[in-house]
Amino acid sequence: MILKHDGYIAEMSYEEGDASMNGVVVNARATLHFAGRDIEELRRAFAETIADYREWCEERGVEPEKPYSGTLSLRIAPELHRRIAERAAKAGESINQFIANRLEDVA
């Protein structure tokens, strides 16, 4: 199960016999864990974890890591760039959409 809050994404897990579900934020370098006995408690704990993380960063004068924006700068060889442009045109897609679709295929 995946939860989203304010741009952050967390994966949930549950082990048979545990009294609670556990979550971990997956799109931050910081290790952010939380838990809850039901989905509403889990959602609240997730939001509180993000708020605590931001407060912790502020107290230390550190910029909190922001979730991935979806923008990726990529440097490739000009010949590869040309081949991708050609394939994108043949597929009727922009280069960006062509690359995003190929990445979805392998992710």
Side-chain angles (χ1 to χ4, degrees):
M1 172 200 244
I2 300 289
L3 288 180
K4 296 179 182 180
H5 175 75
D6 206 12
Y8 290 90
I9 300 169
E11 291 182 346
M12 305 305 110
S13 65
Y14 174 78
E15 293 293 326
E16 191 66 37
D18 283 354
S20 64
M21 295 177 278
N22 299 294
V24 63
V25 177
V26 296
N27 62 336
R29 280 189 297 269
T31 303
L32 304 172
H33 293 272
F34 55 95
R37 288 184 297 269
D38 58 42
I39 192 66
E40 289 310 313
E41 189 173 304
L42 200 60
R43 288 181 195 280
R44 280 192 303 274
F46 184 18
E48 289 169 5
T49 296
I50 297 304
D52 290 347
Y53 167 65
R54 289 178 170 156
E55 184 179 315
W56 181 90
C57 289
E58 185 177 330
E59 289 170 358
R60 285 155 183 77
V62 195
E63 188 69 25
E65 184 180 12
K66 295 184 175 136
Y68 302 118
S69 67
T71 300
L72 175 67
S73 179
L74 180 67
R75 288 174 179 53
I76 57 175
E79 177 59 24
L80 178 57
H81 191 166
R82 181 190 61 74
R83 290 193 323 259
I84 290 170
E86 289 173 355
R87 290 189 63 191
K90 286 179 184 175
E93 299 172 327
S94 68
I95 291 174
N96 185 75
Q97 190 59 54
F98 180 82
I99 292 171
N101 287 342
R102 300 305 79 72
L103 291 173
E104 281 290 335
D105 291 345
V106 298

